[in-house]
Amino acid sequence: MIRRAVAPGRVNLIGDHTDHTGGLVLPMAIDRATTVELRVSGEPVLTLVSEDEDAAAALDLPVGDPAAVRPAWARYVAGVAAELGTEQGGNGTVSTTVPIGAGLSSSAALLVAVALALGADPGDPRSLARLCQRAEQRASGVPCGIMDPLTSLAGRSGHALLIDTSTAEVDPVELPPDVDVVVVHSGAARRLEGSPYAERRARCVAAAELLGPLRELDEGAADGIDDPVVRAAARHLIGENRRVREAASALRQGDVAAVGALMDESHASLRDDLGVSTPLLDAIVTDLGNRPGVLGARLTGAGFGGCAVALCRPGAIDDGWVVRPSAGAAVTEL
Ligand code: GLA
């Protein structure tokens, strides 16, 4: 039997670094995806060959420590197999149209596609997203959140997803027809391993420990924190949760200008209060914001390189990737 699993990447419209503390995010699955085709066998070996990698992932099952596996991309495969407790593998291929290392969740797309190809149940996206999150943490050592795998699993055509990351509840929000979402790559490959991601997460967690649930607070609540770095992180998180809520309701009302203004504000907060932008991303966001027909722009995802996302009138940006809100991951048996 062959299982063919297809899992999309994602772009986050607004709500970054909020998933460290159970906050709100508003991403969408995109029309670029990773495909894993696996001929299932009863053997205790899993071999996957990727179009984009020189060396195959060849794993003895069950997997012990995913972080010890080589080559590096195979750690993600190993993380999923370890979390699923896979004992019987097979042979297969991996191909993708998600740009790798661009901050569009190529790793989450790989994790989700591997999990489905190995027989994971797609009917429970929340549990499966948590499993993929654990798999990525074990594979990479990066304390990433639930946003990316859950978006890949729960995507809805034509919709962004308002996600409460404290419960993993997903509320689809339709995108108005008269706007495009465009991604512009800074050209800087973004790897979270070795980046300040974990340190920024720690700032966010420290802010939540001092103030409690941040999404219920007013921005002024951050003023009481002594440590200026944690105070700034708290300001970002309180504001970003509010912006996600406001952006979701503005989208529902078709007020795309308001959504764009919130995206601009989000970028400034990620740059000034959390310090996760780069000069290149700042320059791209400023340039996009000056173009006619662009409603708003911001860095998207973790930052430290990767992509900017813009909301614009169709045709306003001709040097980026127009991405369409897409359905979530699916698996078929051939
Ligand atoms: C990465 C992580 C997510 C989230 C974003 C920042 O994409 O995988 O869980 O923390 O960064 O919003």
Side-chain angles (χ1 to χ4, degrees), residues 65 163 211 242 274 278 298:
D65 176 12
I163 300 176
L211 295 182
R242 170 186 56 77
L274 204 58
T278 64
R298 59 188 286 279

Side-chain angles (χ1 to χ4, degrees), residues 10 12 15-20 144-148 190 192 197 301-302:
R10 67 98 186 91
N12 191 15
D16 272 312
H17 291 275
T18 47
D19 71 350
H20 310 311
C144 51
I146 198 174
M147 170 169 68
D148 305 346
R190 192 227 57 179
L192 291 183
Y197 179 87

Side-chain angles (χ1 to χ4, degrees), residues 48-135:
L48 288 177
V49 175
S50 166
E51 276 183 358
D52 296 283
E53 303 284 346
D54 294 333
L59 308 173
D60 292 325
L61 302 173
V63 169
D65 176 12
V69 164
R70 283 190 167 56
W73 78 275
R75 289 177 195 152
Y76 293 84
V77 181
V80 174
E83 281 294 326
L84 285 171
T86 304
E87 295 191 345
Q88 298 183 343
N91 277 292
T93 56
V94 180
S95 58
T96 192
T97 55
V98 185
I100 295 171
L104 297 178
S105 292
S106 53
S107 60
L110 175 64
L111 293 160
V112 170
V114 168
L116 295 178
L118 287 174
D121 176 10
D124 183 358
R126 277 193 254 183
S127 307
L128 189 49
R130 289 197 178 104
L131 183 144
C132 290
Q133 179 188 7
R134 291 194 300 273

Side-chain angles (χ1 to χ4, degrees), residues 133-166:
Q133 179 188 7
R134 291 194 300 273
E136 176 151 19
Q137 293 182 349
R138 283 177 71 178
S140 66
V142 176
C144 51
I146 198 174
M147 170 169 68
D148 305 346
L150 185 55
T151 306
S152 182
L153 281 157
R156 170 96 67 100
S157 177
H159 292 69
L161 307 177
L162 174 59
I163 300 176
D164 177 340
T165 64
S166 70

Side-chain angles (χ1 to χ4, degrees), residues 8-14 25-32 103-105 147-148 150-163 170 172-175 179-183 251 300 309-311 321-328:
R10 67 98 186 91
V11 67
N12 191 15
L13 293 179
I14 194 161
V25 294
L26 189 64
M28 62 185 221
I30 59 174
D31 51 347
R32 288 171 176 257
L104 297 178
S105 292
M147 170 169 68
D148 305 346
L150 185 55
T151 306
S152 182
L153 281 157
R156 170 96 67 100
S157 177
H159 292 69
L161 307 177
L162 174 59
I163 300 176
V170 178
V173 180
E174 196 168 2
L175 278 196
V179 287
D180 274 352
V181 176
V182 179
V183 168
L251 270 184
T300 182
V309 62
L311 191 69
W321 302 315
V322 177
V323 289
R324 308 270 174 217
S326 298

